[in-house]
Amino acid sequence: MAARPRELTPDRSARHLFGAKMRAHRERADMSLERLKDVVMVSTSHLSRIETADAMPPPDLPKRLDAVFGTDGIFEELYGLARREIHPDQFRRRMELEAQSRLIEEYAGQIVPGLVQTEGYARALFETFDPKATAEKIEELVSARMSRQTLLSADFPPDISLILDEAVLRRAFGGPAV
């Protein structure tokens, strides 16, 4: 008996929508992952992870999917959105785990963890690490960083235990006010 496919969540992000559309078109074409693998030259396991949004599609895959399914550029458009999503994949997975957590324990030896940064601290970090970034880009990053903190005011927020190296507290970003 074949395993039941994991339920998709296309409303979560462009990457999730990409995966849901890929599965929908594949199933509409009555095509297994194994058969699609042979056509687009991407491993079955990677295609499966793309469908469930556990992996980002490789840059050349959208064009091949559009060709296979005759979708007139829809996968290239979705990929363009997915690659611009504000949180990189590895941080998005962390945020998903944080949202499910009852306890978050962290040691920080370099900077204050993102989940508890202030706006000023986050802004100073982003400006320091990318001095060529535009003001709009910095504000977008700060807003995204601050959006993570909604977890802390949820109905049942996780307990948080942080150990900060003294250097984290003494390392100045943005001046004394920050």
Side-chain angles (χ1 to χ4, degrees), residues 40-85:
V40 296
M41 309 308 276
V42 174
S43 75
T44 305
S45 63
H46 196 179
L47 288 172
S48 176
R49 288 192 318 274
I50 291 168
E51 280 190 0
T52 58
D54 290 331
M56 186 70 179
D60 54 341
L61 179 63
K63 184 175 278 196
R64 286 186 265 161
L65 290 173
D66 283 327
V68 168
F69 299 128
T71 48
D72 196 31
I74 189 81
F75 286 100
E76 287 189 87
E77 290 175 20
L78 285 172
Y79 178 77
L81 290 173
R83 71 187 169 113
R84 288 189 193 94
E85 287 181 333

Side-chain angles (χ1 to χ4, degrees), residues 106-145:
E106 187 169 349
Y107 166 77
Q110 299 295 319
I111 61 172
V112 172
L115 188 58
V116 295
Q117 290 177 0
T118 64
E119 281 190 42
Y121 188 90
R123 186 173 291 106
L125 274 177
F126 291 131
E127 289 170 349
T128 299
F129 290 112
D130 190 0
K132 294 181 180 179
T134 65
E136 294 81 23
K137 180 65 175 175
I138 296 293
E139 289 311 308
E140 182 181 351
L141 292 168
V142 169
S143 176
R145 175 71 46 93

Side-chain angles (χ1 to χ4, degrees), residues 94-106:
R94 178 187 174 114
M95 290 166 47
E96 290 169 5
L97 292 172
E98 285 174 346
Q100 299 169 14
S101 298
R102 292 183 181 173
L103 172 65
I104 297 172
E105 296 178 317
E106 187 169 349

